[in-house]
Amino acid sequence: MILTLAALPVSAKPVMPPLFTDNMVFQQQTDAPIWGQAKAGKKVTINASWATTPVETTADAQGNWRTTLRTPQAGGPYTLTVSDGQKITLQNVMVGEVWLCSGQSNMEMPVDGWSRVLNFEQEKQEANQYQNIRLLQVRKNTSPQPLNDFETNLGGGWQVCSAQSVKEFSATAYFFGRDIHKYRNVPVGLIDASWGGTFIEPWTSAQALALHPDMQQDLQRVAALPADKNEREQLYQKQLDEWKQREATLDSSARGFEIPELITHHLSRITSKWSTMTIPVKWEEGGLPGYDGVAWLLRTVDIPGSWAGKEVKLVLGPLVDDIDYTYFNGQLVGHTNAYGEMRSYTIPARQVKHGTAVIAMRIIDTGGEGGLYSSADQLYMECRGERLPLAGQWHYKATTPLSALQPIPVDNASSPNQVTVLYNAMINPLVGFAIRGTIWYQGCNNEHKGYQYRELLPLMIRDWRTKWGYDFPFYIVQLANYKQLQTQPGDDEWAEVREAQAMAARHVEKSGLACLIDIGEANDIHPRNKQEVGRRLALIARANTYGEKGLEFSGPLYKDYQIEGNSIRLLFDHADGLRTSDGSPLTGFAIAGSDHQWHWAQARIDGQTVIVSSPDVAAPVAVRYAWHVNPLCNLQNAAGLPAVPFRTDDWPGLSINNHLAN
């Protein structure tokens, strides 16, 4: 963290932000900014072991200094010394390719942490081979005003890639960086700034959002927040305490007992009289159809004797909808106030005793789906590498319907879903650090506003590039297939977000799209095959950023159509060797006439085109492909890359009204 000048003692060495530490990576062959603090007015000298002459600058009246270093071609390790009379030395510094990796939980998803990728044990061990990949993970934080300081995870500062350091690091970022390292033979620096369950608006600066008419009220609300975090916390806590008191009174009355009494007096009554549901499941499907509000889930576990007196991790995954208060043997051990954010709570050693223990969750669903429905492998207790699974039968009781509750206060101190607060705290401190480009994996939270996302994603890309001062590559991960398989053609909100992502990739310069429509998982919003996500992103970078010739980096991309009698011929880019992924006839195509009624279509490949028709549509005017949250679709090219979902029509979609209503 950058310190203020007042915090520097008289004999202090220069201070630099955690972008500049041992094991760091500078972007190659550029004038790389470097900055920090020293005593006011002191001359600061920077010596890089790759350079023949030092660079000098002077700290201003506030002690801030900033200059640039001309970096060589990729290589290392080097040393870097910074001196204002007192000297600090950075060791094991590399020069190579630096990428910023950001988004929500699918970017945050680690190799082996709250979730696990395919073959995670093997992947961790193989990570030891890639010591010229370096990892920097920005710690989660929010702020209503732009910050210059930030903190890191993974032990502070840059980390050498290893089985240990990659374990909790972004899997998508790591696999992307690994491919760049392997195919370009250069050191790679990866900066992970991500937060699960977040919208795009918090990742965009106030200056950029001010250009969008939908954002004005939200910007005014954030601008009115106290600058001091303690004041924000006190204000929120007062509002929340009042809300909790009202909610808890209603809930306590409905359930008939207080939490501390749960274990000693009421466990047998609950297990004999409460209903059960098989977790993971959305509680609407597990026994509470159409229910929004407060419900309790309870599970007993047998704690091994070897765990007694040891700290235990309780992992419940990110799909707890929406707010949870989680108790272990009647004691609160965790609380999260956001859908999609990972629930990983620590049970103190003093509370862990041999024998039967009780996990109880009070979940508040504020609308839509509710309950605990993270994948089964994300539900467990862990102690020193040993895991107890928590999927299976849980008892439940609905206590307070949403209609009886007042709206929960917004966490103005730390909520990650207020406009601009993540840009301020997690991106602004990085601005200026030389990067090659950005990979971005986000969109689930904006699922109901695909039309607005058409505007917000290009706005954010332009915003970041403006702040950095150059147009770096920006590569987008398109939402994977998820949820129940498609049975009928028609409109779909996830498809509209995918369309917005594809539009940005096509129309914003130096952008690209990694399509994942074939590798998602119906029951898990976090697909485990992150290796393929990283590979597809790396293909785009290798072809478009690094200029590898003859490398296919995209699946078939819709270009145009022609009406030919009672059929429509579709034309594509990236269409060499069109085929189906499973050897079966083409699926996923729907066709409509001027009545806008969609019918499943017959489709066949004709060279680099596809011809679509239906006996139910005599005069077709439009075609859609893979237009659903989880479509059955199988078109790909010779490189095995899937066709990007598309539509030929521009008929109003489901989310257009959500956009116009703002």
Side-chain angles (χ1 to χ4, degrees):
M1 174 182 293
I2 301 176
L3 303 178
T4 62
L5 184 64
L8 293 172
V10 173
S11 61
K13 298 177 181 179
V15 176
M16 301 173 72
L19 286 163
F20 306 99
T21 69
D22 292 345
N23 310 314
M24 69 169 294
V25 181
F26 279 102
Q27 178 60 42
Q28 66 171 322
Q29 295 180 295
T30 190
D31 293 317
I34 181 170
W35 63 92
Q37 283 210 333
K39 290 182 66 177
K42 293 285 286 185
K43 182 175 74 174
V44 177
T45 303
I46 302 104
N47 278 284
S49 62
W50 67 75
T52 57
T53 58
V55 173
E56 294 183 347
T57 187
T58 302
D60 65 17
Q62 286 71 46
N64 300 310
W65 60 266
R66 187 182 187 94
T67 187
T68 61
L69 296 176
R70 185 64 193 175
T71 56
Q73 288 185 340
Y78 299 105
T79 59
L80 186 81
T81 62
V82 180
S83 175
D84 67 350
Q86 297 280 333
K87 183 172 70 173
I88 60 173
T89 301
L90 307 186
Q91 305 283 357
N92 199 22
V93 172
M94 307 301 291
V95 175
E97 293 295 295
V98 181
W99 288 82
L100 173 60
C101 315
S102 188
Q104 57 181 112
S105 58
N106 266 300
M107 182 62 79
E108 182 184 343
M109 179 179 163
V111 171
D112 174 23
W114 54 261
S115 187
R116 287 170 162 173
V117 302
L118 297 177
N119 305 316
F120 64 92
E121 288 289 1
Q122 178 181 343
E123 295 290 8
K124 284 191 300 181
Q125 293 310 309
E126 290 184 357
N128 291 319
Q129 303 174 21
Y130 301 109
Q131 295 189 12
N132 283 344
I133 298 176
R134 307 299 171 81
L135 313 173
L136 181 69
Q137 191 174 67
V138 178
R139 184 170 296 173
K140 295 176 180 177
N141 192 21
T142 64
S143 174
Q145 290 89 28
L147 301 180
N148 294 320
D149 307 341
F150 74 101
E151 296 180 349
T152 66
N153 297 323
L154 304 178
W158 289 86
Q159 304 295 310
V160 174
C161 181
S162 67
Q164 182 60 35
S165 63
V166 82
K167 183 177 184 291
E168 297 285 347
F169 195 75
S170 163
T172 292
Y174 167 63
F175 293 127
F176 166 79
R178 185 177 69 179
D179 269 20
I180 299 300
H181 172 63
K182 288 166 63 176
Y183 288 99
R184 302 303 301 170
N185 192 29
V186 293
V188 173
L190 301 168
I191 304 173
D192 172 23
S194 55
W195 194 324
T198 53
F199 294 82
I200 192 172
E201 296 93 320
W203 294 103
T204 310
S205 77
Q207 294 95 325
L209 291 178
L211 302 175
H212 199 291
D214 294 353
M215 300 295 126
Q216 303 310 307
Q217 290 185 352
D218 291 334
L219 285 171
Q220 291 171 11
R221 184 175 64 250
V222 170
L225 294 174
D228 182 75
K229 187 173 184 178
N230 290 332
E231 291 183 32
R232 298 197 305 273
E233 289 176 344
Q234 291 171 6
L235 176 63
Y236 169 67
Q237 195 60 50
K238 179 177 182 296
Q239 297 169 337
L240 185 62
D241 288 345
E242 294 172 352
W243 183 88
K244 283 181 178 179
Q245 185 174 2
R246 292 191 300 267
E247 186 272 328
T249 300
L250 289 171
D251 186 46
S252 177
S253 175
R255 69 177 182 263
F257 60 84
E258 296 297 329
I259 302 303
E261 300 173 352
L262 175 70
I263 308 304
T264 54
H265 299 298
H266 297 282
L267 182 58
S268 61
R269 189 182 80 187
I270 288 173
T271 55
S272 63
K273 293 186 178 181
W274 284 20
S275 301
T276 61
M277 65 172 64
T278 302
I279 300 295
V281 70
K282 297 166 185 172
W283 66 32
E284 290 85 352
E285 302 168 5
L288 295 172
Y291 182 74
D292 297 322
V294 184
W296 281 78
L297 298 177
L298 182 144
R299 164 76 185 248
T300 59
V301 292
D302 292 325
I303 302 298
S306 59
W307 287 22
K310 298 180 178 66
E311 186 177 275
V312 171
K313 181 189 292 186
L314 173 61
V315 177
L316 300 166
L319 299 184
V320 181
D321 200 344
D322 298 291
I323 303 163
D324 74 288
Y325 295 85
T326 298
Y327 301 82
F328 180 78
N329 283 343
Q331 301 297 312
L332 184 69
V333 293
H335 160 55
T336 304
N337 184 24
Y339 165 79
E341 185 173 339
M342 188 63 199
R343 271 70 170 178
S344 180
Y345 302 137
T346 298
I347 302 172
R350 65 179 181 279
Q351 295 182 27
V352 181
K353 297 178 172 58
H354 178 223
T356 300
V358 179
I359 299 168
M361 299 182 69
R362 179 159 58 101
I363 298 177
I364 306 171
D365 175 28
T366 60
E369 299 162 338
L372 173 58
Y373 52 97
S374 301
S375 60
D377 63 353
Q378 293 178 307
L379 304 173
Y380 60 88
M381 299 175 70
E382 183 175 60
C383 181
R384 300 190 177 183
E386 182 181 359
R387 289 189 176 186
L388 288 178
L390 296 178
Q393 292 292 306
W394 288 57
H395 292 82
Y396 74 90
K397 180 182 181 181
T399 56
T400 313
L402 187 64
S403 59
L405 298 175
Q406 295 183 6
I408 188 170
V410 175
D411 183 356
N412 291 323
S414 58
S415 171
N417 274 325
Q418 301 178 92
V419 295
T420 205
V421 295
L422 298 182
Y423 172 85
N424 290 338
M426 298 176 67
I427 300 299
N428 192 71
L430 310 177
V431 168
F433 188 76
I435 61 174
R436 174 64 73 189
T438 294
I439 57 173
W440 173 254
Y441 197 163
Q442 189 276 337
C444 303
N445 268 57
N446 291 85
E447 64 177 315
H448 302 305
K449 294 191 175 183
Y451 274 73
Q452 185 188 68
Y453 203 79
R454 294 182 181 186
E455 301 166 355
L456 292 180
L457 182 53
L459 181 67
M460 191 196 75
I461 297 171
R462 183 74 261 155
D463 179 34
W464 288 17
R465 288 173 172 174
T466 299
K467 292 295 196 299
W468 257 266
Y470 57 98
D471 291 341
F472 50 74
F474 193 101
Y475 298 141
I476 302 157
V477 182
Q478 194 178 48
L479 295 182
N481 50 311
Y482 174 54
K483 299 186 181 180
Q484 187 173 352
L485 284 170
Q486 183 177 15
T487 57
Q488 297 297 323
D491 291 316
D492 186 87
E493 288 187 326
W494 270 53
E496 292 169 17
V497 175
R498 291 194 191 106
E499 180 181 50
Q501 293 170 322
M503 291 171 70
R506 173 170 286 196
H507 299 300
V508 178
E509 61 181 338
K510 297 184 181 179
S511 298
L513 185 78
C515 175
L516 308 185
I517 200 63
D518 58 333
I519 60 171
E521 299 179 28
N523 297 316
D524 194 345
I525 199 171
H526 304 111
R528 298 182 65 204
N529 187 3
K530 289 295 188 285
Q531 292 91 332
E532 183 64 10
V533 182
R535 187 185 80 89
R536 292 181 185 179
L537 285 164
L539 286 175
I540 304 170
R542 289 168 58 196
N544 294 341
T545 301
Y546 300 113
E548 290 190 34
K549 302 298 183 184
L551 181 66
E552 182 57 272
F553 61 89
S554 172
L557 191 63
Y558 166 71
K559 180 170 63 175
D560 205 351
Y561 74 97
Q562 297 171 354
I563 299 175
E564 300 177 353
N566 63 352
S567 65
I568 292 180
R569 183 183 297 271
L570 301 166
L571 289 74
F572 298 90
D573 293 321
H574 304 279
D576 286 344
L578 288 184
R579 65 188 189 187
T580 59
S581 58
D582 54 6
S584 302
L586 284 171
T587 59
F589 290 89
I591 196 166
S594 56
D595 61 357
H596 294 199
Q597 298 302 305
W598 292 99
H599 301 267
W600 288 125
Q602 300 167 353
R604 62 182 177 87
I605 296 169
D606 183 21
Q608 294 189 347
T609 69
V610 172
I611 299 174
V612 183
S613 64
S614 169
D616 298 318
V617 183
V621 298
V623 171
R624 291 180 177 177
Y625 173 74
W627 201 256
H628 188 259
V629 62
N630 194 359
L632 289 167
C633 55
N634 61 356
L635 179 62
Q636 62 177 211
N637 58 19
L641 296 171
V644 177
F646 68 90
R647 59 174 175 162
T648 67
D649 65 277
D650 60 358
W651 302 337
L654 295 174
S655 65
I656 191 170
N657 291 329
N658 295 335
H659 181 32
L660 296 175
N662 286 294

